[in-house]
Amino acid sequence: MAKKAVAKKAVAKKSVATKAPAEKPADEPVAGDATPRGPAVADRPGDHWDRKVAKGLAFLRRRLAGDYEVDEFGFDPDLTDAVFHPLVRLLYRDWFRTEVSGVEHVPAEGAGLVVGNHSGTVALDALVLSTALHDRHPARRYLRLLGADLVFRMPVVSEIARKTGGTVACNPDAERLLGNGELVGVFPEGFKGVGKLYADRYKLQRFGRGGFVSAALRTGTPIVPVAIVGGEEIYPMLADIKPLARLLKLPYFPVTPTFPWLGPLGMVPLPSKWLIEFCPPIPTAHLQDSADDPLVVFNLADQVRETIQQTLHRLLERRPDPFGP
């Protein structure tokens, strides 16, 4: 009897030893294999839209429950990520085929003042710049845009501007944002840059009195010049009807190849090729005590302006055809 029991145990051990090991899931890496493995089952065609619907419903639940934050300036990151950026992304990525370079010059953390050229009859360059920077920057930073008073006097536009991080272009607000370590965007040409004729394209206008430089100096913030090519061709401004502009209390009333001739269709931007290049930052910490010195402010503003202008010339050489691939 003892011998039979021993024999049965041996058979049992043998059967356990020869049993095939359990298979690992398809997406679990094998030891020593560095090749990444995808999910066991590929996404079906409808899965992409299912995820979009689920994401949209989650957004609505957050809005209805009030589960989102708004800062002291009215900036709503949840709304910006869910609505604003996806809409502008279609423009800058698919319609304008935008190429972005030099994003490594934008600070990964802490304050920074991004200064760009303005153009385009309608200031789409500010929207494209803020979305492209957020998408391409490793830290996914938000660009807090400074806008003209007119923007914040328009009922619907002002709300959108506030919700997406904008504020009035004045030194106190700029210094508060920079003091909080934010990335601030400014276009010193203002309406002079946006409303210039197509014949003057890519010729930088005067940078005002250099208020943006004073804000940077007082906070010791580096200035990052950025050149934007492509905005001048979206609504080529052939003429400005000044009497009509005064009647409507607008800075200009544009006449383009498509507006006002085509009515609402004239508001569709032409699909120009865009290039955006961030230039190396200009430090200001060593000049903090000279924030009220007009000569220092003027020289620094002129340095920023010249940097942008030279970069525009170089980018235009890279893009001989405004509507090319």
Side-chain angles (χ1 to χ4, degrees), residues 82-251:
V83 179
F84 174 70
H85 281 167
L87 290 175
V88 180
R89 193 172 291 126
L90 293 175
L91 271 180
Y92 98 79
R93 187 183 59 193
D94 301 326
W95 191 247
F96 296 140
R97 309 172 309 286
T98 307
E99 295 180 15
V100 181
S101 59
V103 73
E104 67 275 6
H105 296 310
V106 179
E109 57 183 14
L113 185 63
V114 178
V115 182
N117 58 296
H118 225 5
S119 63
T121 307
V122 176
L124 290 183
D125 49 8
L127 309 183
V128 168
L129 178 65
S130 63
T131 303
L133 175 58
H134 179 266
D135 286 357
R136 302 299 178 89
H137 197 281
R140 309 280 286 181
R141 299 202 66 181
Y142 296 105
L143 186 64
R144 310 297 297 272
L145 294 170
L146 302 181
D149 293 347
L150 176 64
V151 173
F152 297 94
R153 290 201 303 266
M154 302 170 71
V156 177
V157 175
S158 63
E159 286 298 313
I160 295 174
R162 290 283 186 189
K163 291 289 186 183
T164 54
T167 191
V168 180
C170 63
N171 272 27
D173 279 5
E175 290 175 24
R176 282 168 62 200
L177 285 168
L178 294 172
N180 293 337
E182 299 285 353
L183 202 59
V184 177
V186 63
F187 295 86
E189 293 173 281
F191 286 121
K192 298 189 301 295
V194 182
K196 62 179 177 289
L197 297 178
Y198 187 66
D200 298 323
R201 60 191 179 279
Y202 301 115
K203 296 176 183 177
L204 290 185
Q205 306 300 299
R206 193 170 62 88
F207 267 20
R209 292 189 292 271
F212 71 96
V213 172
S214 299
L217 289 174
R218 287 193 177 92
T219 55
T221 300
I223 299 174
V224 182
V226 59
I228 305 171
V229 163
E232 298 281 16
E233 292 87 14
I234 59 173
Y235 301 110
M237 188 165 161
L238 306 178
D240 175 15
I241 307 178
K242 295 185 183 298
L244 193 53
R246 284 194 294 268
L247 179 65
L248 298 174
K249 296 182 179 180
L250 297 173

Side-chain angles (χ1 to χ4, degrees), residues 242-293:
K242 295 185 183 298
L244 193 53
R246 284 194 294 268
L247 179 65
L248 298 174
K249 296 182 179 180
L250 297 173
Y252 52 86
F253 189 90
V255 175
T256 75
T258 59
F259 181 85
W261 326 113
L262 300 183
L265 284 177
M267 295 301 294
V268 177
L270 299 179
S272 58
K273 170 72 176 178
W274 284 46
L275 302 175
I276 298 177
E277 181 172 329
F278 295 92
C279 305
I282 301 172
T284 65
H286 63 293
L287 297 172
Q288 237 173 318
D289 296 334
S290 304
D292 296 319
D293 187 333

